[in-house]
Amino acid sequence: MEGFTPVLSTIGGIMIGLAAVGLLYFNGRIAGISGIMGGVLRPQKDDTLWRAVFLLGLFAGALIMLWLHPASFDLRIDVSDSAVILGGFLVGIGTRIGNGCTSGHGVCGVGRLAPRSIVASAVFFGFAVLTTYAVRHLWEVF
Amino acid sequence: MPGYLFVFSSGVLFAAGLALSGMTLPRRSSRSAI
C-alpha cells in the first residue's frame, strides 16, 4: 500500500481526538470545521471570536507542521483546478445541508455516538467511495 | 483569555494531527477529508 504510515496516522488521530475532546470538555464547543468557518462568515454577537481563534490555531498548526514535518505536505493533485474548486463547492453545500462535515459529524458526532452523525458519516463516506469509483473506473474522468 | 488560548491550542493540535494522519493517503491525489 502506497504511503501507509500507521504509527504517524495513529499519533495524528490521537491528536485530532484530543483536540476535539478538549474543545468540547473545556469550552463546550464542537470542533466541526465547516460549522466554525460558517459562523465566522455569518458572524453573530459573542459567538465569533472563539471561532476566529480556533481557525487561527488551525493555520498556526499547519505552519508548525510545515516547518517540523514538511513531508506531510508532499501532495500531488492529479485533477484540474476547476475540479478541485467544484469539489470544494459541493462539499461546502453538503456540509451546510447535513449540518456538519467529517470533523463535526465524523470525529465529534460519531465519537459521542450521536445517531444523526453516524448516519451522516455513513452517507457521505459511502457516497465518496461510490463517486471515486465512478469517476476513476466507470467514467475514467480522472 | 485562558479560554481562548485553549481554543487556539485545540486548533493547532487539530491541524497538526490532520497533517500527520494525512500521510496515510495515497500520494497521487492526497486530500484530507476533514
PDB file of all heavy atoms in Angstrom, chain A residues 3 5 9 12 15 19 22 26-27 50 53 57-58 72 74-78 84 102-103 136, chain B residues 3-4 6-8 10-13 15-17 19 23-24 27-31 33-34:
ATOM      1  N   GLY A   3       2.159   4.895   0.681  1.00  0.00           N
ATOM      2  CA  GLY A   3       2.032   5.912   1.721  1.00  0.00           C
ATOM      3  C   GLY A   3       1.394   5.407   2.990  1.00  0.00           C
ATOM      4  O   GLY A   3       0.701   6.169   3.664  1.00  0.00           O
ATOM      5  N   THR A   5       1.439   4.722   6.640  1.00  0.00           N
ATOM      6  CA  THR A   5       2.244   5.096   7.808  1.00  0.00           C
ATOM      7  C   THR A   5       1.384   4.980   9.070  1.00  0.00           C
ATOM      8  O   THR A   5       0.896   5.982   9.597  1.00  0.00           O
ATOM      9  CB  THR A   5       2.757   6.542   7.679  1.00  0.00           C
ATOM     10  OG1 THR A   5       1.622   7.397   7.467  1.00  0.00           O
ATOM     11  CG2 THR A   5       3.718   6.696   6.524  1.00  0.00           C
ATOM     12  N   SER A   9      -0.067   7.946  11.567  1.00  0.00           N
ATOM     13  CA  SER A   9      -1.513   8.107  11.461  1.00  0.00           C
ATOM     14  C   SER A   9      -2.191   7.966  12.817  1.00  0.00           C
ATOM     15  O   SER A   9      -3.111   8.716  13.155  1.00  0.00           O
ATOM     16  CB  SER A   9      -2.093   7.081  10.497  1.00  0.00           C
ATOM     17  OG  SER A   9      -1.515   7.230   9.236  1.00  0.00           O
ATOM     18  N   GLY A  12      -1.443  11.050  14.761  1.00  0.00           N
ATOM     19  CA  GLY A  12      -2.273  12.128  14.226  1.00  0.00           C
ATOM     20  C   GLY A  12      -3.718  11.996  14.662  1.00  0.00           C
ATOM     21  O   GLY A  12      -4.351  12.987  15.052  1.00  0.00           O
ATOM     22  N   MET A  15      -4.085  12.979  18.220  1.00  0.00           N
ATOM     23  CA  MET A  15      -4.019  14.445  18.361  1.00  0.00           C
ATOM     24  C   MET A  15      -5.342  15.099  17.968  1.00  0.00           C
ATOM     25  O   MET A  15      -5.834  16.008  18.656  1.00  0.00           O
ATOM     26  CB  MET A  15      -2.875  14.993  17.500  1.00  0.00           C
ATOM     27  CG  MET A  15      -1.502  14.623  18.029  1.00  0.00           C
ATOM     28  SD  MET A  15      -0.179  14.882  16.827  1.00  0.00           S
ATOM     29  CE  MET A  15      -0.091  16.654  16.792  1.00  0.00           C
ATOM     30  N   ALA A  19      -7.775  17.127  20.558  1.00  0.00           N
ATOM     31  CA  ALA A  19      -8.210  18.494  20.281  1.00  0.00           C
ATOM     32  C   ALA A  19      -9.734  18.594  20.355  1.00  0.00           C
ATOM     33  O   ALA A  19     -10.280  19.535  20.944  1.00  0.00           O
ATOM     34  CB  ALA A  19      -7.715  18.935  18.897  1.00  0.00           C
ATOM     35  N   GLY A  22     -10.900  18.018  23.998  1.00  0.00           N
ATOM     36  CA  GLY A  22     -10.520  19.169  24.825  1.00  0.00           C
ATOM     37  C   GLY A  22     -11.417  20.366  24.575  1.00  0.00           C
ATOM     38  O   GLY A  22     -11.881  21.020  25.518  1.00  0.00           O
ATOM     39  N   PHE A  26     -13.622  21.451  27.765  1.00  0.00           N
ATOM     40  CA  PHE A  26     -13.237  22.692  28.453  1.00  0.00           C
ATOM     41  C   PHE A  26     -13.973  23.926  27.942  1.00  0.00           C
ATOM     42  O   PHE A  26     -14.083  24.919  28.664  1.00  0.00           O
ATOM     43  CB  PHE A  26     -11.723  22.909  28.327  1.00  0.00           C
ATOM     44  CG  PHE A  26     -10.918  21.911  29.082  1.00  0.00           C
ATOM     45  CD1 PHE A  26     -10.203  20.924  28.423  1.00  0.00           C
ATOM     46  CD2 PHE A  26     -10.886  21.934  30.481  1.00  0.00           C
ATOM     47  CE1 PHE A  26      -9.466  19.987  29.135  1.00  0.00           C
ATOM     48  CE2 PHE A  26     -10.143  20.998  31.195  1.00  0.00           C
ATOM     49  CZ  PHE A  26      -9.438  20.023  30.527  1.00  0.00           C
ATOM     50  N   ASN A  27     -14.440  23.868  26.690  1.00  0.00           N
ATOM     51  CA  ASN A  27     -15.099  25.050  26.130  1.00  0.00           C
ATOM     52  C   ASN A  27     -16.532  24.783  25.690  1.00  0.00           C
ATOM     53  O   ASN A  27     -17.230  25.711  25.294  1.00  0.00           O
ATOM     54  CB  ASN A  27     -14.303  25.597  24.943  1.00  0.00           C
ATOM     55  CG  ASN A  27     -12.929  26.100  25.354  1.00  0.00           C
ATOM     56  OD1 ASN A  27     -11.981  25.331  25.464  1.00  0.00           O
ATOM     57  ND2 ASN A  27     -12.823  27.385  25.626  1.00  0.00           N
ATOM     58  N   TRP A  50     -14.215  33.175  19.328  1.00  0.00           N
ATOM     59  CA  TRP A  50     -13.627  31.853  19.582  1.00  0.00           C
ATOM     60  C   TRP A  50     -13.447  31.082  18.278  1.00  0.00           C
ATOM     61  O   TRP A  50     -12.490  30.329  18.115  1.00  0.00           O
ATOM     62  CB  TRP A  50     -14.483  31.058  20.576  1.00  0.00           C
ATOM     63  CG  TRP A  50     -15.723  30.450  19.985  1.00  0.00           C
ATOM     64  CD1 TRP A  50     -16.963  31.004  19.913  1.00  0.00           C
ATOM     65  CD2 TRP A  50     -15.826  29.154  19.362  1.00  0.00           C
ATOM     66  NE1 TRP A  50     -17.837  30.150  19.285  1.00  0.00           N
ATOM     67  CE2 TRP A  50     -17.175  29.009  18.942  1.00  0.00           C
ATOM     68  CE3 TRP A  50     -14.932  28.114  19.117  1.00  0.00           C
ATOM     69  CZ2 TRP A  50     -17.622  27.860  18.301  1.00  0.00           C
ATOM     70  CZ3 TRP A  50     -15.393  26.972  18.475  1.00  0.00           C
ATOM     71  CH2 TRP A  50     -16.722  26.852  18.072  1.00  0.00           C
ATOM     72  N   VAL A  53     -10.402  32.446  16.574  1.00  0.00           N
ATOM     73  CA  VAL A  53      -9.207  31.993  17.299  1.00  0.00           C
ATOM     74  C   VAL A  53      -8.891  30.539  16.961  1.00  0.00           C
ATOM     75  O   VAL A  53      -7.726  30.169  16.739  1.00  0.00           O
ATOM     76  CB  VAL A  53      -9.405  32.175  18.822  1.00  0.00           C
ATOM     77  CG1 VAL A  53      -8.309  31.471  19.604  1.00  0.00           C
ATOM     78  CG2 VAL A  53      -9.450  33.655  19.177  1.00  0.00           C
ATOM     79  N   GLY A  57      -5.647  29.027  15.045  1.00  0.00           N
ATOM     80  CA  GLY A  57      -4.895  27.881  15.561  1.00  0.00           C
ATOM     81  C   GLY A  57      -4.668  26.827  14.495  1.00  0.00           C
ATOM     82  O   GLY A  57      -3.588  26.239  14.408  1.00  0.00           O
ATOM     83  N   LEU A  58      -5.687  26.597  13.661  1.00  0.00           N
ATOM     84  CA  LEU A  58      -5.533  25.634  12.559  1.00  0.00           C
ATOM     85  C   LEU A  58      -4.414  26.062  11.614  1.00  0.00           C
ATOM     86  O   LEU A  58      -3.562  25.257  11.233  1.00  0.00           O
ATOM     87  CB  LEU A  58      -6.834  25.521  11.769  1.00  0.00           C
ATOM     88  CG  LEU A  58      -7.969  24.677  12.341  1.00  0.00           C
ATOM     89  CD1 LEU A  58      -9.152  24.687  11.383  1.00  0.00           C
ATOM     90  CD2 LEU A  58      -7.530  23.253  12.598  1.00  0.00           C
ATOM     91  N   SER A  72       4.562  15.943   5.311  1.00  0.00           N
ATOM     92  CA  SER A  72       3.106  15.881   5.427  1.00  0.00           C
ATOM     93  C   SER A  72       2.410  16.662   4.321  1.00  0.00           C
ATOM     94  O   SER A  72       1.238  16.444   4.039  1.00  0.00           O
ATOM     95  CB  SER A  72       2.651  16.455   6.778  1.00  0.00           C
ATOM     96  OG  SER A  72       3.118  15.660   7.833  1.00  0.00           O
ATOM     97  N   ASP A  74       3.637  16.946   1.204  1.00  0.00           N
ATOM     98  CA  ASP A  74       4.153  16.497  -0.077  1.00  0.00           C
ATOM     99  C   ASP A  74       3.024  15.875  -0.893  1.00  0.00           C
ATOM    100  O   ASP A  74       2.931  14.665  -1.070  1.00  0.00           O
ATOM    101  CB  ASP A  74       5.293  15.498   0.144  1.00  0.00           C
ATOM    102  CG  ASP A  74       5.875  15.019  -1.164  1.00  0.00           C
ATOM    103  OD1 ASP A  74       5.764  15.758  -2.159  1.00  0.00           O
ATOM    104  OD2 ASP A  74       6.426  13.908  -1.185  1.00  0.00           O
ATOM    105  N   LEU A  75       2.135  16.740  -1.363  1.00  0.00           N
ATOM    106  CA  LEU A  75       0.939  16.255  -2.043  1.00  0.00           C
ATOM    107  C   LEU A  75       1.021  16.557  -3.533  1.00  0.00           C
ATOM    108  O   LEU A  75       1.583  17.562  -3.940  1.00  0.00           O
ATOM    109  CB  LEU A  75      -0.302  16.932  -1.464  1.00  0.00           C
ATOM    110  CG  LEU A  75      -0.478  16.839   0.048  1.00  0.00           C
ATOM    111  CD1 LEU A  75      -1.715  17.617   0.478  1.00  0.00           C
ATOM    112  CD2 LEU A  75      -0.576  15.398   0.500  1.00  0.00           C
ATOM    113  N   ARG A  76       0.438  15.680  -4.301  1.00  0.00           N
ATOM    114  CA  ARG A  76       0.360  15.923  -5.734  1.00  0.00           C
ATOM    115  C   ARG A  76      -1.085  15.703  -6.168  1.00  0.00           C
ATOM    116  O   ARG A  76      -1.652  14.619  -5.952  1.00  0.00           O
ATOM    117  CB  ARG A  76       1.285  14.972  -6.490  1.00  0.00           C
ATOM    118  CG  ARG A  76       1.385  15.308  -7.976  1.00  0.00           C
ATOM    119  CD  ARG A  76       2.589  14.611  -8.586  1.00  0.00           C
ATOM    120  NE  ARG A  76       2.498  13.145  -8.499  1.00  0.00           N
ATOM    121  CZ  ARG A  76       1.903  12.387  -9.414  1.00  0.00           C
ATOM    122  NH1 ARG A  76       1.304  12.957 -10.440  1.00  0.00           N
ATOM    123  NH2 ARG A  76       1.874  11.088  -9.300  1.00  0.00           N
ATOM    124  N   ILE A  77      -1.684  16.709  -6.716  1.00  0.00           N
ATOM    125  CA  ILE A  77      -3.083  16.637  -7.122  1.00  0.00           C
ATOM    126  C   ILE A  77      -3.152  16.385  -8.618  1.00  0.00           C
ATOM    127  O   ILE A  77      -2.624  17.169  -9.409  1.00  0.00           O
ATOM    128  CB  ILE A  77      -3.820  17.958  -6.780  1.00  0.00           C
ATOM    129  CG1 ILE A  77      -3.548  18.370  -5.325  1.00  0.00           C
ATOM    130  CG2 ILE A  77      -5.313  17.816  -7.043  1.00  0.00           C
ATOM    131  CD1 ILE A  77      -4.048  17.402  -4.307  1.00  0.00           C
ATOM    132  N   ASP A  78      -3.804  15.289  -8.992  1.00  0.00           N
ATOM    133  CA  ASP A  78      -3.858  14.933 -10.408  1.00  0.00           C
ATOM    134  C   ASP A  78      -5.005  15.580 -11.158  1.00  0.00           C
ATOM    135  O   ASP A  78      -5.005  15.596 -12.384  1.00  0.00           O
ATOM    136  CB  ASP A  78      -3.963  13.405 -10.551  1.00  0.00           C
ATOM    137  CG  ASP A  78      -2.646  12.738 -10.222  1.00  0.00           C
ATOM    138  OD1 ASP A  78      -1.633  13.453 -10.192  1.00  0.00           O
ATOM    139  OD2 ASP A  78      -2.639  11.526  -9.996  1.00  0.00           O
ATOM    140  N   VAL A  84     -11.061  20.680  -8.523  1.00  0.00           N
ATOM    141  CA  VAL A  84     -10.845  20.889  -7.089  1.00  0.00           C
ATOM    142  C   VAL A  84     -11.831  21.931  -6.553  1.00  0.00           C
ATOM    143  O   VAL A  84     -12.448  21.745  -5.492  1.00  0.00           O
ATOM    144  CB  VAL A  84      -9.392  21.340  -6.817  1.00  0.00           C
ATOM    145  CG1 VAL A  84      -9.220  21.738  -5.361  1.00  0.00           C
ATOM    146  CG2 VAL A  84      -8.416  20.237  -7.186  1.00  0.00           C
ATOM    147  N   THR A 102     -16.856  16.147   8.062  1.00  0.00           N
ATOM    148  CA  THR A 102     -16.155  14.975   8.606  1.00  0.00           C
ATOM    149  C   THR A 102     -15.595  15.217   9.992  1.00  0.00           C
ATOM    150  O   THR A 102     -15.382  14.273  10.749  1.00  0.00           O
ATOM    151  CB  THR A 102     -15.008  14.561   7.668  1.00  0.00           C
ATOM    152  OG1 THR A 102     -14.319  15.731   7.248  1.00  0.00           O
ATOM    153  CG2 THR A 102     -15.526  13.808   6.480  1.00  0.00           C
ATOM    154  N   SER A 103     -15.324  16.466  10.328  1.00  0.00           N
ATOM    155  CA  SER A 103     -14.833  16.733  11.685  1.00  0.00           C
ATOM    156  C   SER A 103     -15.990  16.823  12.678  1.00  0.00           C
ATOM    157  O   SER A 103     -15.953  16.203  13.737  1.00  0.00           O
ATOM    158  CB  SER A 103     -13.986  18.016  11.718  1.00  0.00           C
ATOM    159  OG  SER A 103     -14.701  19.102  11.162  1.00  0.00           O
ATOM    160  N   ARG A 136     -13.274   7.325 -11.485  1.00  0.00           N
ATOM    161  CA  ARG A 136     -11.963   6.761 -11.827  1.00  0.00           C
ATOM    162  C   ARG A 136     -12.045   5.481 -12.630  1.00  0.00           C
ATOM    163  O   ARG A 136     -11.125   5.170 -13.385  1.00  0.00           O
ATOM    164  CB  ARG A 136     -11.155   6.508 -10.555  1.00  0.00           C
ATOM    165  CG  ARG A 136     -10.666   7.799  -9.929  1.00  0.00           C
ATOM    166  CD  ARG A 136      -9.568   7.558  -8.927  1.00  0.00           C
ATOM    167  NE  ARG A 136      -9.037   8.822  -8.436  1.00  0.00           N
ATOM    168  CZ  ARG A 136      -8.254   8.923  -7.374  1.00  0.00           C
ATOM    169  NH1 ARG A 136      -7.916   7.852  -6.696  1.00  0.00           N
ATOM    170  NH2 ARG A 136      -7.803  10.095  -6.996  1.00  0.00           N
TER     171      ARG A 136
ATOM    172  N   GLY B   3      -9.252  30.763  28.185  1.00  0.00           N
ATOM    173  CA  GLY B   3     -10.177  30.004  27.354  1.00  0.00           C
ATOM    174  C   GLY B   3      -9.817  30.101  25.882  1.00  0.00           C
ATOM    175  O   GLY B   3      -9.815  29.102  25.166  1.00  0.00           O
ATOM    176  N   TYR B   4      -9.493  31.294  25.446  1.00  0.00           N
ATOM    177  CA  TYR B   4      -9.127  31.490  24.045  1.00  0.00           C
ATOM    178  C   TYR B   4      -7.790  30.842  23.727  1.00  0.00           C
ATOM    179  O   TYR B   4      -7.585  30.325  22.622  1.00  0.00           O
ATOM    180  CB  TYR B   4      -9.092  32.979  23.701  1.00  0.00           C
ATOM    181  CG  TYR B   4     -10.461  33.586  23.604  1.00  0.00           C
ATOM    182  CD1 TYR B   4     -10.890  34.553  24.501  1.00  0.00           C
ATOM    183  CD2 TYR B   4     -11.340  33.170  22.603  1.00  0.00           C
ATOM    184  CE1 TYR B   4     -12.166  35.094  24.407  1.00  0.00           C
ATOM    185  CE2 TYR B   4     -12.606  33.696  22.499  1.00  0.00           C
ATOM    186  CZ  TYR B   4     -13.016  34.665  23.407  1.00  0.00           C
ATOM    187  OH  TYR B   4     -14.264  35.183  23.296  1.00  0.00           O
ATOM    188  N   PHE B   6      -6.777  28.153  25.029  1.00  0.00           N
ATOM    189  CA  PHE B   6      -7.057  26.722  24.888  1.00  0.00           C
ATOM    190  C   PHE B   6      -7.705  26.432  23.538  1.00  0.00           C
ATOM    191  O   PHE B   6      -7.396  25.433  22.887  1.00  0.00           O
ATOM    192  CB  PHE B   6      -7.961  26.252  26.025  1.00  0.00           C
ATOM    193  CG  PHE B   6      -8.018  24.766  26.122  1.00  0.00           C
ATOM    194  CD1 PHE B   6      -7.088  24.080  26.886  1.00  0.00           C
ATOM    195  CD2 PHE B   6      -8.946  24.037  25.402  1.00  0.00           C
ATOM    196  CE1 PHE B   6      -7.110  22.699  26.942  1.00  0.00           C
ATOM    197  CE2 PHE B   6      -8.976  22.659  25.455  1.00  0.00           C
ATOM    198  CZ  PHE B   6      -8.056  21.994  26.228  1.00  0.00           C
ATOM    199  N   VAL B   7      -8.622  27.323  23.134  1.00  0.00           N
ATOM    200  CA  VAL B   7      -9.262  27.159  21.822  1.00  0.00           C
ATOM    201  C   VAL B   7      -8.208  27.204  20.717  1.00  0.00           C
ATOM    202  O   VAL B   7      -8.209  26.386  19.797  1.00  0.00           O
ATOM    203  CB  VAL B   7     -10.324  28.257  21.598  1.00  0.00           C
ATOM    204  CG1 VAL B   7     -10.819  28.231  20.158  1.00  0.00           C
ATOM    205  CG2 VAL B   7     -11.497  28.064  22.545  1.00  0.00           C
ATOM    206  N   PHE B   8      -7.280  28.159  20.832  1.00  0.00           N
ATOM    207  CA  PHE B   8      -6.192  28.281  19.856  1.00  0.00           C
ATOM    208  C   PHE B   8      -5.355  27.002  19.832  1.00  0.00           C
ATOM    209  O   PHE B   8      -5.042  26.463  18.762  1.00  0.00           O
ATOM    210  CB  PHE B   8      -5.318  29.486  20.205  1.00  0.00           C
ATOM    211  CG  PHE B   8      -4.174  29.720  19.248  1.00  0.00           C
ATOM    212  CD1 PHE B   8      -4.382  30.380  18.041  1.00  0.00           C
ATOM    213  CD2 PHE B   8      -2.896  29.291  19.565  1.00  0.00           C
ATOM    214  CE1 PHE B   8      -3.334  30.592  17.159  1.00  0.00           C
ATOM    215  CE2 PHE B   8      -1.845  29.499  18.692  1.00  0.00           C
ATOM    216  CZ  PHE B   8      -2.069  30.153  17.483  1.00  0.00           C
ATOM    217  N   SER B  10      -6.240  24.051  20.709  1.00  0.00           N
ATOM    218  CA  SER B  10      -7.015  22.958  20.112  1.00  0.00           C
ATOM    219  C   SER B  10      -6.916  23.007  18.598  1.00  0.00           C
ATOM    220  O   SER B  10      -6.791  21.971  17.942  1.00  0.00           O
ATOM    221  CB  SER B  10      -8.491  23.060  20.527  1.00  0.00           C
ATOM    222  OG  SER B  10      -8.644  22.886  21.908  1.00  0.00           O
ATOM    223  N   GLY B  11      -6.985  24.221  18.049  1.00  0.00           N
ATOM    224  CA  GLY B  11      -6.834  24.364  16.600  1.00  0.00           C
ATOM    225  C   GLY B  11      -5.476  23.903  16.127  1.00  0.00           C
ATOM    226  O   GLY B  11      -5.365  23.207  15.104  1.00  0.00           O
ATOM    227  N   VAL B  12      -4.449  24.288  16.848  1.00  0.00           N
ATOM    228  CA  VAL B  12      -3.087  23.875  16.492  1.00  0.00           C
ATOM    229  C   VAL B  12      -2.970  22.356  16.519  1.00  0.00           C
ATOM    230  O   VAL B  12      -2.450  21.729  15.580  1.00  0.00           O
ATOM    231  CB  VAL B  12      -2.052  24.500  17.458  1.00  0.00           C
ATOM    232  CG1 VAL B  12      -0.664  23.914  17.216  1.00  0.00           C
ATOM    233  CG2 VAL B  12      -2.021  26.018  17.298  1.00  0.00           C
ATOM    234  N   LEU B  13      -3.468  21.748  17.589  1.00  0.00           N
ATOM    235  CA  LEU B  13      -3.385  20.294  17.758  1.00  0.00           C
ATOM    236  C   LEU B  13      -4.173  19.583  16.662  1.00  0.00           C
ATOM    237  O   LEU B  13      -3.719  18.572  16.097  1.00  0.00           O
ATOM    238  CB  LEU B  13      -3.925  19.916  19.138  1.00  0.00           C
ATOM    239  CG  LEU B  13      -3.632  18.515  19.650  1.00  0.00           C
ATOM    240  CD1 LEU B  13      -2.138  18.280  19.777  1.00  0.00           C
ATOM    241  CD2 LEU B  13      -4.308  18.290  21.000  1.00  0.00           C
ATOM    242  N   ALA B  15      -4.941  20.669  13.611  1.00  0.00           N
ATOM    243  CA  ALA B  15      -4.262  20.773  12.312  1.00  0.00           C
ATOM    244  C   ALA B  15      -3.021  19.901  12.255  1.00  0.00           C
ATOM    245  O   ALA B  15      -2.741  19.255  11.235  1.00  0.00           O
ATOM    246  CB  ALA B  15      -3.894  22.231  12.040  1.00  0.00           C
ATOM    247  N   ALA B  16      -2.280  19.861  13.348  1.00  0.00           N
ATOM    248  CA  ALA B  16      -1.069  19.037  13.377  1.00  0.00           C
ATOM    249  C   ALA B  16      -1.428  17.563  13.244  1.00  0.00           C
ATOM    250  O   ALA B  16      -0.772  16.811  12.504  1.00  0.00           O
ATOM    251  CB  ALA B  16      -0.294  19.290  14.674  1.00  0.00           C
ATOM    252  N   GLY B  17      -2.470  17.142  13.939  1.00  0.00           N
ATOM    253  CA  GLY B  17      -2.922  15.757  13.832  1.00  0.00           C
ATOM    254  C   GLY B  17      -3.385  15.429  12.429  1.00  0.00           C
ATOM    255  O   GLY B  17      -3.124  14.349  11.901  1.00  0.00           O
ATOM    256  N   ALA B  19      -2.354  16.839   9.683  1.00  0.00           N
ATOM    257  CA  ALA B  19      -1.181  16.756   8.803  1.00  0.00           C
ATOM    258  C   ALA B  19      -0.497  15.404   8.940  1.00  0.00           C
ATOM    259  O   ALA B  19      -0.112  14.791   7.937  1.00  0.00           O
ATOM    260  CB  ALA B  19      -0.205  17.883   9.135  1.00  0.00           C
ATOM    261  N   MET B  23      -0.805  11.590   6.078  1.00  0.00           N
ATOM    262  CA  MET B  23       0.296  10.853   5.457  1.00  0.00           C
ATOM    263  C   MET B  23      -0.145   9.501   4.931  1.00  0.00           C
ATOM    264  O   MET B  23       0.514   8.918   4.070  1.00  0.00           O
ATOM    265  CB  MET B  23       1.414  10.639   6.467  1.00  0.00           C
ATOM    266  CG  MET B  23       2.185  11.894   6.806  1.00  0.00           C
ATOM    267  SD  MET B  23       3.151  12.464   5.420  1.00  0.00           S
ATOM    268  CE  MET B  23       4.399  11.186   5.369  1.00  0.00           C
ATOM    269  N   THR B  24      -1.261   8.966   5.446  1.00  0.00           N
ATOM    270  CA  THR B  24      -1.694   7.639   5.003  1.00  0.00           C
ATOM    271  C   THR B  24      -2.317   7.677   3.629  1.00  0.00           C
ATOM    272  O   THR B  24      -2.409   6.670   2.966  1.00  0.00           O
ATOM    273  CB  THR B  24      -2.755   7.058   5.948  1.00  0.00           C
ATOM    274  OG1 THR B  24      -3.789   8.017   6.090  1.00  0.00           O
ATOM    275  CG2 THR B  24      -2.168   6.699   7.271  1.00  0.00           C
ATOM    276  N   ARG B  27      -0.274   9.235  -2.396  1.00  0.00           N
ATOM    277  CA  ARG B  27       0.405  10.453  -2.834  1.00  0.00           C
ATOM    278  C   ARG B  27      -0.217  11.058  -4.084  1.00  0.00           C
ATOM    279  O   ARG B  27      -0.131  12.236  -4.327  1.00  0.00           O
ATOM    280  CB  ARG B  27       1.882  10.175  -3.103  1.00  0.00           C
ATOM    281  CG  ARG B  27       2.703   9.803  -1.910  1.00  0.00           C
ATOM    282  CD  ARG B  27       2.856  10.932  -0.929  1.00  0.00           C
ATOM    283  NE  ARG B  27       1.817  10.871   0.089  1.00  0.00           N
ATOM    284  CZ  ARG B  27       1.630  11.798   1.001  1.00  0.00           C
ATOM    285  NH1 ARG B  27       2.357  12.869   1.019  1.00  0.00           N
ATOM    286  NH2 ARG B  27       0.677  11.693   1.898  1.00  0.00           N
ATOM    287  N   ARG B  28      -0.831  10.189  -4.904  1.00  0.00           N
ATOM    288  CA  ARG B  28      -1.233  10.682  -6.219  1.00  0.00           C
ATOM    289  C   ARG B  28      -2.338  11.736  -6.157  1.00  0.00           C
ATOM    290  O   ARG B  28      -2.433  12.605  -6.986  1.00  0.00           O
ATOM    291  CB  ARG B  28      -1.653   9.531  -7.130  1.00  0.00           C
ATOM    292  CG  ARG B  28      -2.874   8.777  -6.696  1.00  0.00           C
ATOM    293  CD  ARG B  28      -3.110   7.618  -7.643  1.00  0.00           C
ATOM    294  NE  ARG B  28      -3.427   8.065  -8.990  1.00  0.00           N
ATOM    295  CZ  ARG B  28      -4.662   8.258  -9.417  1.00  0.00           C
ATOM    296  NH1 ARG B  28      -5.669   8.069  -8.610  1.00  0.00           N
ATOM    297  NH2 ARG B  28      -4.886   8.643 -10.652  1.00  0.00           N
ATOM    298  N   SER B  29      -3.202  11.652  -5.152  1.00  0.00           N
ATOM    299  CA  SER B  29      -4.233  12.679  -5.071  1.00  0.00           C
ATOM    300  C   SER B  29      -4.628  12.881  -3.616  1.00  0.00           C
ATOM    301  O   SER B  29      -5.784  12.838  -3.274  1.00  0.00           O
ATOM    302  CB  SER B  29      -5.452  12.306  -5.887  1.00  0.00           C
ATOM    303  OG  SER B  29      -6.004  11.111  -5.391  1.00  0.00           O
ATOM    304  N   SER B  30      -3.628  13.069  -2.795  1.00  0.00           N
ATOM    305  CA  SER B  30      -3.892  13.171  -1.367  1.00  0.00           C
ATOM    306  C   SER B  30      -4.636  14.451  -1.030  1.00  0.00           C
ATOM    307  O   SER B  30      -4.186  15.534  -1.307  1.00  0.00           O
ATOM    308  CB  SER B  30      -2.575  13.148  -0.598  1.00  0.00           C
ATOM    309  OG  SER B  30      -1.918  11.959  -0.849  1.00  0.00           O
ATOM    310  N   ARG B  31      -5.759  14.283  -0.447  1.00  0.00           N
ATOM    311  CA  ARG B  31      -6.534  15.415   0.037  1.00  0.00           C
ATOM    312  C   ARG B  31      -7.162  14.959   1.331  1.00  0.00           C
ATOM    313  O   ARG B  31      -7.853  13.955   1.357  1.00  0.00           O
ATOM    314  CB  ARG B  31      -7.636  15.788  -0.943  1.00  0.00           C
ATOM    315  CG  ARG B  31      -7.108  16.618  -2.098  1.00  0.00           C
ATOM    316  CD  ARG B  31      -7.370  18.088  -1.851  1.00  0.00           C
ATOM    317  NE  ARG B  31      -6.446  18.887  -2.633  1.00  0.00           N
ATOM    318  CZ  ARG B  31      -6.640  20.173  -2.886  1.00  0.00           C
ATOM    319  NH1 ARG B  31      -7.695  20.791  -2.429  1.00  0.00           N
ATOM    320  NH2 ARG B  31      -5.756  20.851  -3.561  1.00  0.00           N
ATOM    321  N   ALA B  33      -9.774  14.565   4.106  1.00  0.00           N
ATOM    322  CA  ALA B  33     -11.227  14.633   4.014  1.00  0.00           C
ATOM    323  C   ALA B  33     -11.821  15.619   5.002  1.00  0.00           C
ATOM    324  O   ALA B  33     -12.974  16.000   4.898  1.00  0.00           O
ATOM    325  CB  ALA B  33     -11.827  13.247   4.234  1.00  0.00           C
ATOM    326  N   ILE B  34     -11.055  16.030   5.972  1.00  0.00           N
ATOM    327  CA  ILE B  34     -11.609  16.885   7.023  1.00  0.00           C
ATOM    328  C   ILE B  34     -11.354  18.350   6.701  1.00  0.00           C
ATOM    329  O   ILE B  34     -10.236  18.706   6.441  1.00  0.00           O
ATOM    330  CB  ILE B  34     -11.024  16.510   8.389  1.00  0.00           C
ATOM    331  CG1 ILE B  34     -11.383  15.076   8.728  1.00  0.00           C
ATOM    332  CG2 ILE B  34     -11.541  17.463   9.452  1.00  0.00           C
ATOM    333  CD1 ILE B  34     -10.902  14.593  10.053  1.00  0.00           C
TER     334      ILE B  34
END
